[in-house]
Amino acid sequence: MDGSFTIVKKVYNDTMILKNEKLNEFVYRMTVSCLDTGWIKPGKFINVKIPGFYLRRPMAVCDYTNDSFSFIYEIIGNGTDKLSTMKPNQEIDILEDLGNTFHYRKDHGKPLLISGGSGIGPIYCLAKQLNKDNIQYDWICGFPNQSKVALVSEIKKINPNAIICTDDGSFGEKGNVVQIINKHNLKNHYYFTCGSTNMLKAIFKNNKQGQLSLDERMGCGFGACMGCSIKTRKGEQRICKNGPIFKSEDLLW
């Protein structure tokens, strides 16, 4: 499975909400119509315009068909709270085809997928692509506690051996993702991950090499501003344009 570390194009599109499903108390999955999903690859994201709010919200694509795609989001403020109230058949303004993609090579060996909480979206998309390409992989899905767990049946359908864990042990194995990585001797596996910044930094320090999808508020979503800039070994980089996926060796954590 090959990916690209460049933006291909940017499209503003008024799409129709098909579903807005509540997965747990704070996490939702929205499915929207789309005339062309050929641009979607694991890691790609969109920028959603929420009525009444100036800044768009970046969301990673979770799954897709020929004429629709879905994304996972968590209520963390007034904007995403408003998004959770939107209904099917409402139009929603979305900026599509943003960011780069996860890039798997055969010399990575058996990859390790690591998702944390609502960061499951791009990892879920990657898992389905790896299945399609007949590439075996390990998958750890971490959640804070049972109330935050989502999509377990769908995860297990994609990969029956996926490990579900919670920090407090209220569901699945007990421990955070780094503890589970070490418990199952997966520390040296090449990894692909998305989740909170604290989780990503812990994985970065624990495992040698991988690719991390960074979560950051963005002004424009396609590199016109410098609102999401970070310092890397390659100099100043914009998460929306040069990322959101970065190789571990390029980060300065």
Side-chain angles (χ1 to χ4, degrees):
M1 186 201 73
D2 288 325
S4 170
F5 280 83
T6 60
I7 289 178
V8 178
K9 61 179 180 179
K10 296 175 287 293
V11 177
Y12 286 98
N13 200 4
D14 284 319
T15 65
M16 191 76 70
I17 297 173
L18 302 177
K19 295 180 183 178
N20 197 10
E21 307 164 86
K22 187 175 183 178
L23 302 179
N24 59 44
E25 185 178 358
F26 298 104
V27 176
Y28 286 71
R29 172 172 55 188
M30 181 176 284
T31 304
V32 300
S33 61
C34 186
L35 294 176
D36 176 20
T37 58
W39 55 272
I40 297 177
K41 294 180 181 179
K44 282 283 188 177
F45 75 96
I46 59 173
N47 227 6
V48 180
K49 175 65 176 174
I50 302 173
F53 293 85
Y54 178 72
L55 289 180
R56 292 174 178 265
R57 268 57 174 183
M59 307 285 180
V61 175
C62 174
D63 200 3
Y64 62 97
T65 66
N66 289 334
D67 56 7
S68 69
F69 64 83
S70 63
F71 57 90
I72 305 291
Y73 65 96
E74 183 175 6
I75 297 177
I76 55 175
N78 293 333
T80 43
D81 186 43
K82 172 69 174 180
L83 189 63
S84 72
T85 67
M86 298 184 72
K87 306 295 183 183
N89 299 321
Q90 281 186 257
E91 286 192 348
I92 185 167
D93 185 341
I94 291 177
L95 178 58
E96 300 173 355
D97 195 0
L98 299 174
N100 58 7
T101 68
F102 288 115
H103 181 78
Y104 171 80
R105 301 195 314 263
K106 289 184 178 179
D107 62 345
H108 289 152
K110 186 179 183 182
L112 170 62
L113 278 54
I114 314 164
S115 56
S118 57
I120 192 173
I123 303 301
Y124 184 98
C125 190
L126 176 60
K128 293 194 73 172
Q129 183 63 56
L130 291 175
N131 281 358
K132 183 179 178 181
D133 294 338
N134 295 314
I135 298 170
Q136 292 188 335
Y137 58 94
D138 292 301
W139 189 1
I140 298 173
C141 306
F143 301 94
N145 53 59
Q146 186 173 9
S147 69
K148 298 291 184 70
V149 173
L151 297 176
V152 171
S153 61
E154 295 180 44
I155 292 166
K156 288 293 189 177
K157 184 177 180 180
I158 297 172
N159 186 337
N161 296 318
I163 300 169
I164 313 296
C165 62
T166 51
D167 294 349
D168 62 1
S170 55
F171 189 94
E173 296 192 22
K174 182 177 181 179
N176 60 45
V177 295
V178 169
Q179 291 171 328
I180 300 302
I181 288 169
N182 294 335
K183 175 183 174 181
H184 290 272
N185 297 314
L186 299 171
K187 185 173 181 178
N188 293 320
H189 286 224
Y190 193 95
Y191 64 89
F192 299 86
T193 185
C194 182
S196 70
T197 300
N198 287 339
M199 187 196 86
L200 297 182
K201 287 184 176 180
I203 293 169
F204 174 85
K205 293 177 181 178
N206 186 70
N207 287 47
K208 291 183 178 180
Q209 286 190 313
Q211 296 170 28
L212 306 93
S213 181
L214 306 191
D215 184 16
E216 184 65 46
R217 289 294 294 271
M218 300 173 185
C220 65
F222 51 85
C225 70
M226 300 295 289
C228 60
S229 296
I230 59 170
K231 292 182 179 180
T232 73
R233 297 187 189 280
K234 293 183 177 181
E236 200 85 3
Q237 300 273 283
R238 286 163 286 183
I239 291 176
C240 67
K241 183 177 181 179
N242 306 108
I245 298 161
F246 290 87
K247 295 178 181 178
S248 56
E249 59 263 35
D250 292 334
L251 294 175
L252 293 171
W253 289 349

